Structures are given as C-alpha cells and as structure tokens.
Amino acid sequence: MKKDISVEELKMIQLKILDSIDDFCKKNGIQYFLFSGTLIGAVRHKGYIPWDDDVDICMKRKDYNRFFSEFNQQRRDTLKAISAETEKNYYLASGKVIDTATVIEEENNCAMPIGVYVDIFPMDNLPSDDKKLKKLNHRIDIYRKMLILKSVPVSDRRSAVKNWILKVSSFLLKPISMQHIIRKITKLAVSYNDDATCNRIADISVFTYGMKEVFPCEDFAETAELEFEGKTYSVPKNYKHVLSNMYGDYMKLPPKEKQVSHHHFTAYWK
C-alpha cells in the first residue's frame, strides 16, 4: 500500500534536497541561485510562499553542466540528479534533483518514474540585439511547444477542444522523441554562450515568464545570501531587480483566488 506524503513532509524532503545541493555547490565552487517563486518566498516570507509547494533554483549553463555531471558521483544517500543528459527517458529541458525513496505521480505522458524534487533551470547568455533575441526565442519556442504537446495528457479538467488538440498533436508528433526535441532546444539555447558581446541572460530553454525573464548578466554575476525556512541560501545579488523584472511589485500579495498551488501531483513514500 502506498503511503501518502503530506505537504509538511514534502517540504521537509525538498529542504533536505536543497541543503544537499547547497553543500555540494559550495564545496565544489558551483554557483547557484534561488529562483522564481522560491526567491519571492525568501524575500517576502523568509521561506515558502504559504500556498506554494515547490523549490526552484537556477544555474548558469557552465555550472549546470558541471553539477549534473558530478553530483551523483560517490553519493551514499537517496538523492539523484536527473536531466536529459543523464536519463534516456527524461522529458524536460531543465533538470531536477530527486529523492529516490519517494515517488511522484504527475500529469504528464512520460513513463519515467521520479521522486520528490527540486527544479534546476539552466541560464544561458542572450544576444544584446533585440532582433537576434526575438529570432532565437521564436526558433526555440517551436520546440518548447512540441515538448508540451507531447508531455501534457488528455484530462477531464480540460475542454473537449483542448483534449482534441492534444490527441491530434500526440499522434502527429509520435515519430519525434522527447530527447530529440530537448537536444534541439539545448543546441539553440547555448548558441550565444561563447559570445563575449552578450550582456543578457535567461532560462530561455523553458522561458516560463517570457521576456520578463530576460535579465542583464550583471544581475547574476554575484551571489548574496537570504534566509529560507531558517537557513541561508544563495540568491542573485541584484535579487530586487530580478524579482521586479519578473513580477512587478513582488512584495504585494496576489488576490485570494490566486493564492493556490499550480502543481498537480501526488507524492508517496516507496
């Protein structure tokens, strides 16, 4: 019989994972940053946003690649770093560290089992020229949409039209593997990383917030430390600019009806 993991337990597992990432990165000279809702939580609540239930961090691509090639070496605990580069059946253009003593059932078409996790997003340099950035984003966005259409399942929570689109898309995209799509995304995303004239950076592989997620490179040049659930973790030194760029007035709470988790999953102990 599966034993459910409560929200409180879920957060304890995520914090254990975050502690291990923090320890590993600091011992090995790898730079990481609390990101997205986790960064808002650190600034506004000194911990989780009360209605949130996940942890997001980001790393510049060089650090991201090092982390995923080295984190699993000689580990003696239940944690494992997974990404498209380490797992054949992985389904995202970003990575995770999971606790293999747990199982998460999410709404996607991927058969790969995962556990409770912390998300890690790669940050890549972007051209300073707006036309070049727009062209790059347009090319990547085609593959981002393909990945979503392949991974999002038909659901009773969606309209009949959306479910029909998902069914047709799934059929048409069946010959193309998720790995192939992720390789295309990554190849495009890293195309400006060796260009010394680039002065912007973003998680363009995923790009959840679109152009709001494009930052000056200097925003992520150095780290600072902020409290999150009683411990301190690395954040961008210019975290105020990062958050205002993404969310506007990030200290203002959203309306009550929007104070809900946007994740749909069930977590179990193995």
Side-chain angles (χ1 to χ4, degrees):
M1 178 182 287
K2 295 177 180 177
K3 182 184 176 185
D4 287 6
I5 292 174
S6 67
V7 174
E8 291 73 22
E9 289 176 310
L10 179 80
K11 291 180 178 180
M12 287 179 64
I13 298 166
Q14 291 171 345
L15 291 172
K16 179 188 77 172
I17 297 171
L18 181 58
D19 283 341
S20 295
I21 293 171
D22 175 74
D23 182 64
F24 179 85
C25 287
K26 286 176 178 174
K27 285 180 178 176
N28 292 277
I30 294 175
Q31 198 178 53
Y32 81 90
F33 311 89
L34 298 188
F35 193 53
S36 192
T38 307
L39 182 56
I40 284 187
V43 174
R44 197 169 65 198
H45 306 279
K46 294 188 177 181
Y48 284 92
I49 294 174
W51 54 90
D52 207 0
D53 53 12
D54 70 342
V55 172
D56 297 325
I57 68 174
C58 65
M59 298 178 183
K60 285 180 255 189
R61 181 69 70 169
K62 185 177 178 181
D63 289 312
Y64 178 92
N65 289 343
R66 262 197 71 202
F67 180 87
F68 281 96
S69 67
E70 297 175 12
F71 183 81
N72 293 336
Q73 296 175 10
Q74 300 179 338
R75 295 208 71 80
R76 295 182 181 179
D77 54 23
T78 57
L79 303 188
K80 183 181 181 182
I82 59 173
S83 69
E85 290 72 35
T86 66
E87 307 295 323
K88 184 179 179 181
N89 296 317
Y90 195 66
Y91 56 100
L92 296 170
S94 57
K96 301 177 185 287
V97 174
I98 65 171
D99 188 332
T100 60
T102 65
V103 177
I104 273 194
E105 293 180 357
E106 293 185 301
E107 286 190 350
N108 62 53
N109 288 326
C110 178
M112 179 184 172
I114 63 170
V116 175
Y117 57 82
V118 165
D119 277 313
I120 305 180
F121 299 98
M123 303 286 281
D124 292 295
N125 289 346
L126 301 177
S128 53
D129 183 275
D130 286 342
K131 288 183 180 179
K132 288 182 178 180
L133 174 55
K134 186 176 180 180
K135 182 179 178 181
L136 176 66
N137 182 42
H138 176 71
R139 292 177 69 191
I140 295 176
D141 197 47
I142 294 169
Y143 294 108
R144 288 196 216 105
K145 286 183 170 64
M146 289 170 66
L147 200 60
I148 290 169
L149 288 169
K150 278 187 72 71
S151 61
V152 174
V154 170
S155 169
D156 292 338
R157 292 189 296 104
R158 286 181 245 285
S159 69
V161 173
K162 287 184 178 179
N163 281 330
W164 180 83
I165 291 170
L166 288 171
K167 287 177 181 178
V168 173
S169 301
S170 179
F171 175 77
L172 294 175
L173 293 171
K174 193 171 183 179
I176 307 172
S177 71
M178 287 188 178
Q179 284 292 310
H180 176 77
I181 297 170
I182 294 169
R183 283 195 296 269
K184 289 288 189 180
I185 291 173
T186 302
K187 185 177 180 180
L188 288 166
V190 304
S191 58
Y192 284 92
N193 281 351
D194 294 326
D195 187 340
T197 66
C198 290
N199 61 1
R200 294 187 283 189
I201 192 169
D203 167 27
I204 197 154
S205 296
V206 181
F207 225 37
T208 306
Y209 299 95
M211 296 305 292
K212 292 180 181 179
E213 205 169 337
V214 176
F215 312 100
C217 286
E218 63 188 37
D219 280 359
F220 289 85
E222 298 179 52
T223 61
E225 296 279 319
L226 284 180
E227 182 181 339
F228 188 87
E229 297 296 333
K231 295 185 180 181
T232 58
Y233 300 98
S234 296
V235 300
K237 188 173 182 180
N238 291 355
Y239 64 86
K240 293 180 180 178
H241 182 260
V242 169
L243 289 176
S244 61
N245 212 58
M246 293 176 78
Y247 303 105
D249 185 2
Y250 57 88
M251 295 302 289
K252 183 180 178 181
L253 293 175
K256 279 287 184 183
E257 63 271 17
K258 292 189 176 181
Q259 294 181 18
V260 293
S261 170
H262 297 289
H263 303 96
H264 303 282
F265 59 76
T266 308
Y268 306 97
W269 293 105
K270 277 188 176 177

